[in-house]
């Protein structure tokens, strides 16, 4: 039985190496945003093509407003990206679970939430 507002099958990561993520057979060469409705979009930042090294309050707010109850953040293959204190505070204030891990771990965590039919979203940094 599908939960209202959650697609019957959320996208699944197949692999992630520095600079490349594969989701459901498609290769992405940029930071990934997966919305709770299953849409996959590039992470856009004003700084660079491959994404900023800081996940911002605005990025988290967008996912919360889209209905996320869990947000999985991948901080890069070596964990160089960080979540801003404002973003962490917002998630806490709104009662949204924030899971912050290196990207190789985060894609597995995201996949495990996706099969549970939770309203999960992801922000995955694919480099450093």
């Amino acid at each position: 039985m599908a939960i209202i507002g959650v697609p019957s099958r959320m996208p699944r990561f197949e692999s992630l190496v520095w600079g490349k993520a594969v989701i459901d057979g498609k290769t992405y060469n940029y930071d990934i945003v997966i919305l709770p409705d299953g849409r996959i979009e590039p992470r856009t930042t004003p700084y660079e093509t491959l994404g900023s090294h800081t996940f911002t309050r605005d990025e988290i707010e967008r996912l919360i407003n889209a209905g996320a109850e869990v947000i999985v953040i991948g901080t890069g293959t070596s964990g160089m990206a960080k979540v801003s204190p404002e973003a962490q505070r917002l998630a806490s204030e709104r009662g949204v679970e924030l899971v912050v891990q290196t990207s190789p771990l985060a894609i597995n965590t995201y996949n495990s939430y996706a099969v549970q039919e939770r309203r999960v979203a992801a922000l995955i940094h694919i480099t450093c």
Side-chain angles (χ1 to χ4, degrees), residues 54-66:
T54 302
F55 293 95
T56 66
R57 182 186 191 285
D58 289 344
E59 290 177 290
I60 299 304
E61 185 170 38
R62 176 177 179 234
L63 296 176
I64 292 171
N65 290 342

Side-chain angles (χ1 to χ4, degrees), residues 5 9-11 19 25 38 40 45 47 53-54 56 77 83 86 89 98-100 111 113 120-121:
R9 187 186 181 292
M10 289 292 287
I40 301 170
T45 66
Y47 306 108
H53 284 132
T54 302
T56 66
T77 56
V83 180
E86 297 83 11
R89 205 168 18 260
L98 202 60
V99 179
V100 181
N111 283 347
Y113 278 113
V120 63

Side-chain angles (χ1 to χ4, degrees), residues 54-117:
T54 302
F55 293 95
T56 66
R57 182 186 191 285
D58 289 344
E59 290 177 290
I60 299 304
E61 185 170 38
R62 176 177 179 234
L63 296 176
I64 292 171
N65 290 342
E69 58 185 25
V70 178
I71 300 171
V72 178
I73 297 179
T75 59
T77 56
S78 299
M80 299 298 289
K82 305 294 178 212
V83 180
S84 74
E86 297 83 11
Q88 292 175 19
R89 205 168 18 260
L90 177 66
S92 177
E93 289 169 358
R94 298 273 189 95
V96 172
E97 183 179 351
L98 202 60
V99 179
V100 181
Q101 300 173 312
T102 63
S103 294
L105 293 174
I107 67 168
N108 292 324
T109 299
Y110 165 82
N111 283 347
S112 70
Y113 278 113
V115 299
Q116 296 174 26
E117 296 187 335

